[in-house]
Amino acid sequence: MTGQELNSAALPKGPHSLTREEVLASQRARLLTATLNAVGQCGYATLKVERITSEAHVSRTAFYEQFTNKEDAFLQAYDSFGEAFLAQLIEVSSLASHPLAAVESSTKLLVGWLTERPLAARAWLLEIYALGDRGLDRRASTMRAVEEAFGLAARWIRRLDPELSAVRPLVARGVVAASFELLSEAVRDPTPQQIAEATTAISDLWIMGMTSMPYEPGSSPKLTRDG
């Protein structure tokens, strides 16, 4: 069990030895999770603070000790979800022996997040639009962070095959934008087939974008212009 999961667990009833900081951390983790789940299930527009506090098993007072309103809670939950995903993405990629293996492990991670946390994924990918410009600004910041990950992978490939041409301007932005759209389609229609098709397409997009060439499954990991 991770530290996040421990903090998300309900606090023991009655007297306990937890510090004030531990109590607040537990409440915050549960509120962030509850916010994403509630937004993903009922939509941001109709969301009430009471729905969040009920799911998190905390009082309204505890909620307002952490957030100013439901928008603040959603934005912070959005950031927390994205930061956790990016951290895991970087971790699994760093353990890969080759850029193509990194793409494969990353897509497997992606499938896990979509299938294990469908409500949170729906809130993160779709409901963020309900916040207007503030939500779009947050989404844009997340996409820039993913673009940086794309750039790292592209430079890694070119260290292995210096003959590859440089990645063209805006390729990273196009690949990431298309990836988000494919993910959004999978969240709207979360069938196993749709999720599998989306993640395969995202994998192909990243490989083609980073190498400027198509990739055939089972081909040699050696990267050249001739492919």
Side-chain angles (χ1 to χ4, degrees), residues 23-204:
V23 171
L24 289 174
S26 173
Q27 291 176 339
R28 176 178 176 79
R30 284 182 285 136
L31 284 165
L32 292 174
T33 298
T35 298
L36 286 179
N37 288 342
V39 171
Q41 187 165 43
C42 68
Y44 176 78
T46 61
L47 178 67
K48 303 294 184 183
V49 169
E50 289 78 9
R51 172 67 179 271
I52 300 173
T53 57
S54 176
E55 181 161 334
H57 302 290
V58 302
S59 66
R60 284 178 59 88
T61 299
F63 175 90
Y64 286 108
E65 285 180 346
Q66 303 272 2
F67 313 108
T68 56
N69 50 38
K70 72 171 188 177
E71 179 179 296
D72 182 36
F74 184 23
L75 287 173
Q76 292 196 44
Y78 177 91
D79 289 343
S80 177
F81 185 91
E83 289 165 3
F85 176 73
L86 286 173
Q88 287 194 23
L89 188 68
I90 292 171
E91 181 180 359
V92 299
S93 297
S94 67
L95 297 174
S97 59
H98 188 277
L100 300 186
V103 172
E104 180 180 0
S105 61
S106 297
T107 54
K108 286 182 179 179
L109 174 67
L110 178 62
V111 172
W113 279 69
L114 287 179
T115 56
E116 293 170 16
R117 300 194 63 188
L119 293 178
R122 182 177 183 84
W124 196 75
L125 284 163
L126 302 180
E127 288 296 325
I128 192 65
Y129 288 101
L131 272 63
D133 287 343
R134 290 192 67 185
L136 292 175
D137 287 343
R138 256 340 191 274
R139 183 177 183 273
S141 296
T142 300
M143 293 177 73
R144 299 299 87 80
V146 180
E147 288 170 25
E148 291 179 9
F150 178 94
L152 290 173
R155 289 192 290 275
W156 184 9
I157 284 180
R158 277 151 187 77
R159 288 197 297 271
L160 297 176
D161 188 351
E163 294 184 4
L164 284 172
S165 58
V167 176
R168 295 184 179 184
L170 297 183
V171 166
R173 185 155 300 181
V175 168
V176 172
S179 298
F180 269 60
E181 180 59 27
L182 287 164
L183 287 175
S184 297
E185 289 180 5
V187 167
R188 290 195 298 270
D189 179 22
T191 61
Q193 179 180 351
Q194 184 69 24
I195 292 174
E197 289 177 354
T199 51
T200 297
I202 290 170
S203 177
D204 290 345

